[in-house]
């Protein structure tokens, strides 16, 4: 089956936002074994949207649209799709009830708000459509499956679009496919993309089924193995020997083989399994490392408190870094990173501590200590290691790389201590 | 003039890379006053690429293609464009010389490489085309300007595409334009998108020049005013009365009119201007609020330290929340939020403090205190206010909304205290 991705939104055509939805949907469709030949972006204009949808539904089996399902007059994706597919719009009682509930909660907590007439527009659905319940917003997703053509309508915000697609559209489309596609992802930390590619060049050059694709993420490389077969069991059997070979080559650098598991989730699991607690002492990342850890549901069993020690006095008062160390070596130094992590572990009474001090820029760099210089300290069961790193990019990029590298370093130190 | 952006590359259709080129080109075209109605992505397939280019050149005045100018057989954008525009390919001596020079340097520094036959393919250019010298790669950019239609071909890598566009294509297209476009953005916190739209429905209904567009962000709404005129001064004059009217309607809810300024930047500026310092005490957000503040270069003048008090003992030990308060009202309560922000302000010796305690889920909710219940406390110059909120969505979404709402609440409390 072929698929075409249509993204609706004038803000994409103005270049105000980058079209990450199209990339996400294309990747998921590739995983389903669907062939994507076109992605199109069209604005909130009825005639152009209708023309685009007609062309798409003529040349592709499945059309996935995102955006333009909101409550305002500009939002007309649903109306246009219904007209193209010859569907009437009718009110869905359940969606009406959910909007009432969702908006009611919002109205109660935001003084001066009220449910406006146009909110109810979102309760209208195609007469023969399948309504996909949206747990993260008011506009439901919709599927119109008619005359051997499928059109899928999803809301634009990624936080609503992604769960709707993964939980409801993905299995729906999967059932329409005769061959099964099975994928597994090995997530690697501690090596760059080109090094990973070099290490598996021989496997990539001879790949047919399964295929191996590498994806570079900030501080991580994901290897995705995809096999096609008549059923899932056979597809898994095709993947097994390649997976075992990769495990042999990357060993503990693979932190998970679970698509859904993030680095912080793997880390919290590791801490939990070994009955360890952790604390953080952050300077240039300003709480972002702790925020990543706390992002994991259940983090409270391994993480109780963290320190954001941005100023020198905070490093001294909160976690006992010595004034002399700061004067002699500077706030961004191996010694300070060491005292920060040891001080944090001791003050919080934790088994492990992670500390970060660096120059995220754009100002504050010198010839000896340039922007991008970061020290990461890690104390684990009384033993402290410090890593010096040099990152490039803007302030946000440097901090982002620091966070991932710090989490990976903590994982490495824990594994070494076992 | 209308413009259409075509991005060529199977890797975009597979979702392996996000199409940032289209966003960049669209933004630049908007600045030029070109109306972009379509962005299309097509793979390295001759028939589909030809069809896509024909459609584009029929319905748009300018077509900008990026990608597919490389040396391999897959790269055929130039060949297809020439066939669509009725142009013959001829060798360009200067480009041949530059490729020789560029590749020679590469070969000398990479052992084992050699210049292959297909590298010379890049020296072929359309007979009546304009050749744009590429300082960052071997494929030159090309412009075919023929029969009132312009087709621009650019290499795919952003590091080559952007300088080529900015330095050579932008001025070329600017000379073709009689009008300029000027935009300004008003960023609003504290109201939802549909409420904002209702409040300006009368202005939107009568808009022609300038136009008003609303964009919903997490916890924010952006209003973009765009005017067309013969020069920038006249465009600004057209915008002024609408801008003043919006300022009257939304008053202090507008936190900035600077496209580049984020909420945290506006907040740091406000604190700095009034010589105030701030600290944070975070439970469910786990450091994410502080991380947003520290994201601002220069935050050190207003922010020195922050507390991540995830466990009850941390709330007691770090910032002096009373054990009795926790037992009697619970960790997620108005009283705890109040003691957290007052305790943090006092412990850190800051003018302001922001505290957050809530249930981000997915577990931990009860009937009385459901998932999504969040209390935000704000102490500002000795006065504390607490806000109760009910958010929906998954853990990440609840935390994201909490962070933005907390930053907006701090801003509101500071403004009220002046």
């Amino acid at each position: 089956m072929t698929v075409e991705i249509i993204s609706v939104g004038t803000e994409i055509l103005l270049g105000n936002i980058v079209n990450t939805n199209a990339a996400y949907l294309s990747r998921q469709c590739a995983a389903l074994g669907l062939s994507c030949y076109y992605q199109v972006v069209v604005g909130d204009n009825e005639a152009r949207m209708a023309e685009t949808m007609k062309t798409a539904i003529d040349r592709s089996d499945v059309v996935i649209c995102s955006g333009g399902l909101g409550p305002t007059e500009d939002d007309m994706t649903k109306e246009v799709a219904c007209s193209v597919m010859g569907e009437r719009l009718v009110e869905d009682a359940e969606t009406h009830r959910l909007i009432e509930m969702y908006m009611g909660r919002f109205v109660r907590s935001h003084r001066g708000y009220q449910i406006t007439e146009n909110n109810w527009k979102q309760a209208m659905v195609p007469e023969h459509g399948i309504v996909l319940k949206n747990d993260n917003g008011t506009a439901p997703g919709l599927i119109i499956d008619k005359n051997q053509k499928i059109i899928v309508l999803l809301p634009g915000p990624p936080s609503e679009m992604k769960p709707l697609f993964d939980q409801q559209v993905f299995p729906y489309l999967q059932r329409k496919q005769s061959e099964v596609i099975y994928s597994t992802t090995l997530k690697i930390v501690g090596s760059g993309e080109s090094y990973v590619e070099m290490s598996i060049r021989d496997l990539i050059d001879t790949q047919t089924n399964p295929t191996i694709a590498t994806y570079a993420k900030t501080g991580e490389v994901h290897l995705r193995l995809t096999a096609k077969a008549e059923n899932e069991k056979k597809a898994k059997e095709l993947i097994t020997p390649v997976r075992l070979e990769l495990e042999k080559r990357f060993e503990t650098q693979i932190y998970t083989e679970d698509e859904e598991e993030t680095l912080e989730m793997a880390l919290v699991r590791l801490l939990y399994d070994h009955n360890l607690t952790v604390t953080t002492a952050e300077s240039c990342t300003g709480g972002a490392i702790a925020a990543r850890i706390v992002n994991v549901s259940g983090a409270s069993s391994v993480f109780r408190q963290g320190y954001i020690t941005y100023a020198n006095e905070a490093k001294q008062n909160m976690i006992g870094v010595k004034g002399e160390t700061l004067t002699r070596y500077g706030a961004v130094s191996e010694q300070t990173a060491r005292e920060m992590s040891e001080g944090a572990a001791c003050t919080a009474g934790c088994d492990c501590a992670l500390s970060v001090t660096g120059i995220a820029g754009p100002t504050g760099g010198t010839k000896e200590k340039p922007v991008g210089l970061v020290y990461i300290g890690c104390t684990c069961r009384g033993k402290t290691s410090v890593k010096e790193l040099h990152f490039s990019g803007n302030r946000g990029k440097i901090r982002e790389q620091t966070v991932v590298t710090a989490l990976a370093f903590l994982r490495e130190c824990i594994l070494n201590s076992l």
Side-chain angles (χ1 to χ4, degrees), chain A:
Chain A
M1 287 204 296
T2 58
V3 65
E4 180 155 348
I5 314 285
I6 299 178
S7 309
V8 177
T10 303
E11 66 275 29
I12 309 176
L13 292 178
L14 286 169
N16 291 341
I17 60 170
V18 175
N19 193 1
T20 53
N21 278 1
Y24 186 83
L25 290 169
S26 289
R27 204 161 54 236
Q28 297 300 87
C29 287
L32 278 164
L34 295 168
S35 303
C36 178
Y37 291 152
Y38 302 95
Q39 293 172 358
V40 183
V41 180
V42 64
D44 307 302
N45 171 286
E46 198 170 343
R48 287 191 288 272
M49 206 190 292
E51 181 214 314
T52 301
M53 276 197 209
K54 266 183 220 140
T55 305
I57 208 75
D58 275 353
R59 65 187 176 189
S60 307
D61 302 311
V62 181
V63 176
I64 304 177
C65 305
S66 66
L69 296 185
T72 75
E73 277 188 21
D74 271 359
D75 297 304
M76 56 184 91
T77 305
K78 187 168 60 185
E79 289 74 10
V80 171
C82 282
S83 129
V84 168
M85 297 291 276
E87 279 284 299
R88 217 161 54 92
L89 279 168
V90 294
E91 189 181 84
D92 183 56
E94 173 64 7
T95 306
H96 189 103
R97 195 185 64 77
L98 289 170
I99 293 175
E100 199 158 41
M101 208 176 79
Y102 190 96
M103 292 302 297
R105 219 182 314 162
F106 190 78
V107 165
R108 276 193 299 281
S109 63
H110 290 75
R111 242 194 324 190
Y113 273 84
Q114 50 187 31
I115 306 187
T116 57
E117 244 344 280
N118 48 17
N119 284 119
W120 302 122
K121 189 181 140 192
Q122 299 184 297
M124 301 299 286
V125 305
E127 196 173 4
H128 304 98
I130 302 167
V131 180
L132 312 173
K133 187 167 164 266
N134 178 357
D135 291 326
N136 303 294
T138 50
L142 297 163
I143 296 175
I144 309 174
D145 189 342
K146 206 172 161 179
N147 311 328
Q148 309 297 320
K149 298 283 185 178
I150 301 173
I151 188 159
V152 179
L153 309 180
L154 296 168
S159 58
E160 301 179 32
M161 184 280 288
K162 288 181 188 179
L164 270 170
F165 186 87
D166 292 350
Q167 288 155 29
Q168 301 182 69
V169 182
F170 193 101
Y172 186 87
L173 294 175
Q174 200 163 33
R175 283 194 298 273
K176 302 270 169 180
Q177 286 283 72
S178 59
E179 271 197 326
V180 169
I181 289 273
Y182 179 81
S183 280
T184 191
T185 300
L186 278 61
K187 300 185 181 177
I188 293 173
V189 279
S191 284
E193 192 190 17
S194 51
Y195 181 83
V196 170
E197 285 222 353
M198 285 284 281
S199 321
I200 57 169
R201 173 57 54 88
D202 57 322
L203 300 176
I204 287 182
D205 283 349
T206 56
Q207 65 180 357
T208 47
N209 189 21
T211 56
I212 310 176
T214 61
Y215 300 103
K217 311 275 166 186
T218 301
E220 304 186 21
V221 180
H222 296 183
L223 293 179
R224 172 169 264 210
L225 308 182
T226 307
K228 273 192 194 197
E230 60 191 272
N231 58 49
E232 188 171 307
K233 187 165 168 285
K234 291 212 171 140
K236 278 186 183 169
E237 281 168 12
L238 286 168
I239 280 179
T240 302
V242 185
R243 186 170 53 74
L244 292 175
E245 179 59 31
L246 292 171
E247 284 172 3
K248 212 172 77 188
R249 294 194 191 185
F250 295 103
E251 296 183 324
T252 61
Q253 289 196 299
I254 299 170
Y255 71 80
T256 190
E257 296 188 13
D258 176 349
E259 183 72 53
E260 300 300 317
E261 193 169 58
T262 60
L263 179 55
E264 58 266 30
M265 282 159 81
L267 189 56
V268 167
R269 176 167 56 82
L270 183 68
L271 288 159
Y272 184 83
D273 286 350
H274 295 92
N275 205 18
L276 296 169
T277 56
V278 68
T279 187
T280 51
E282 301 181 60
S283 189
C284 64
T285 47
I289 294 173
R292 280 283 286 269
I293 296 173
V294 170
N295 207 15
V296 183
S297 174
S300 57
S301 50
V302 302
F303 181 87
R304 293 187 205 122
Q305 66 199 75
Y307 307 90
I308 303 165
T309 57
Y310 203 47
N312 278 356
E313 312 87 72
K315 293 180 183 70
Q316 295 178 258
N317 301 337
M318 290 174 85
I319 48 174
V321 172
K322 288 197 286 286
E324 199 204 322
T325 307
L326 291 165
T327 320
R328 191 152 159 200
Y329 304 103
V332 179
S333 64
E334 197 241 311
Q335 291 80 358
T336 299
R338 178 176 297 275
E339 289 190 17
M340 282 172 74
S341 90
E342 288 176 351
C346 175
T347 310
C350 285
D351 306 302
C352 308
L354 198 50
S355 73
V356 158
T357 178
I359 302 161
T363 60
T366 63
K367 209 175 161 210
E368 291 73 35
K369 296 187 177 180
V371 168
L373 172 66
V374 173
Y375 291 93
I376 302 178
C378 185
T379 301
C380 190
R381 296 172 154 171
K383 187 167 171 288
T384 302
S385 316
V386 180
K387 207 170 187 166
E388 178 183 313
L389 295 138
H390 296 263
F391 295 117
S392 30
N394 61 20
R395 185 177 176 87
K397 189 90 188 161
I398 289 172
R399 294 173 70 215
E400 205 185 311
Q401 293 173 86
T402 303
V403 169
V404 179
T405 309
L407 294 172
F409 187 43
L410 171 57
R411 184 173 167 277
E412 188 188 320
C413 291
I414 296 170
L415 290 176
N416 288 340
S417 82
L418 296 179

